[in-house]
Amino acid sequence: MSWVFLTGKTVYKLKKPVRFPYLDFSTLERREGACRAELELNRRLAYSTYLDVVPLRASSEGLSFSKGKIVDWLVVMRQLDSVLTLESLILTRSIDVMQLDRLGRILGDFYHRAKRIYISPASHIADWDHSLSANDRILLDPKFALPAGVVSRIHGAQRRFLADCPHYLTERVRQRQIVDSHGDLRPEH
């Protein structure tokens, strides 16, 4: 979905002009909006890492950040030391229990304070249904060369859960447990 340019100190993330069932970066305006949304969302947990959104400009002299017509937008981030990611610390067995406790408290506080979102239970179930279908189509795309049997088994299990246990999801909506938060926190981040 993006090209990421590492410079040693700074990272520039350029959204690809693509459109999928779950995102639309097909226009310059949509890519700018996505960059600004990413900055706003990620600054809540990583303020010193997510620095800015800047225009990429083109002129007769080439590409720059300062002169010419705006041709795209980039998220600007501070480049982090990959040795210090949670993934690296886990893989090298260097993680300290106190670090995990601190991380758990930070994330717990973040999700506790996050803005509650209200959607109707029916809309929430429909969103799940739509997402499951989109995920299945994407993961079965031959260009990813994923084992179709595994993808189908996982998809089937998710579909059975949605058919047999929708009350778990609707109860989360009724209890206002759906929050405006980051859905892509992984150890490598």
Side-chain angles (χ1 to χ4, degrees):
M1 295 181 286
S2 300
W3 290 289
V4 178
F5 303 94
L6 308 174
T7 70
K9 292 188 178 203
T10 306
V11 175
Y12 297 94
K13 185 174 184 182
L14 178 67
K15 309 283 186 200
K16 293 180 181 180
V18 296
R19 185 176 187 177
F20 298 113
Y22 53 89
L23 66 81
D24 184 354
F25 297 159
S26 60
T27 68
L28 180 64
E29 294 76 23
R30 288 182 183 272
R31 290 191 299 281
E32 178 188 8
C35 287
R36 294 194 184 285
E38 179 177 341
L39 180 73
E40 180 182 342
L41 177 68
N42 291 329
R43 271 191 157 180
R44 295 183 294 179
L45 282 171
Y47 186 83
S48 64
T49 301
Y50 284 81
L51 305 175
D52 205 355
V53 170
V54 297
L56 179 63
R57 298 173 178 272
S59 70
S60 59
E61 298 171 25
L63 297 173
S64 76
F65 298 129
S66 58
K67 57 184 172 179
K69 178 184 174 188
I70 296 174
V71 293
D72 228 313
W73 293 87
L74 299 109
V75 178
V76 183
M77 298 167 275
R78 184 171 59 90
Q79 188 168 332
L80 303 175
D81 186 344
S82 62
V83 173
L84 298 177
T85 65
L86 180 58
E87 177 185 46
S88 178
L89 295 174
I90 290 169
L91 290 172
T92 60
R93 300 190 190 305
S94 304
I95 191 75
D96 182 283
V97 171
M98 290 177 59
Q99 289 173 303
L100 287 176
D101 286 345
R102 182 170 179 254
L103 176 61
R105 281 193 306 278
I106 289 169
L107 291 176
D109 289 346
F110 172 75
Y111 289 117
H112 181 72
R113 287 191 320 266
K115 178 182 162 190
R116 301 298 187 235
I117 307 265
Y118 181 77
I119 57 174
S120 73
S123 293
H124 190 50
I125 297 296
D127 288 346
W128 268 75
D129 181 65
H130 176 76
S131 293
L132 292 179
S133 295
N135 289 344
D136 194 48
R137 278 192 311 277
I138 292 164
L139 294 174
L140 288 174
D141 187 317
K143 72 182 171 191
F144 295 119
L146 296 172
V150 172
V151 172
S152 294
R153 280 194 305 279
I154 292 170
H155 181 73
Q158 292 172 326
R159 283 282 171 204
R160 283 189 299 282
F161 172 80
L162 190 58
D164 298 343
C165 304
H167 56 280
Y168 288 124
L169 300 174
T170 57
E171 190 57 28
R172 288 181 52 79
V173 170
R174 286 190 185 101
Q175 292 180 7
R176 302 288 311 255
Q177 293 177 335
I178 309 300
V179 297
D180 177 22
S181 62
H182 199 301
D184 194 24
L185 291 177
R186 300 189 313 249
E188 64 268 27
H189 294 162

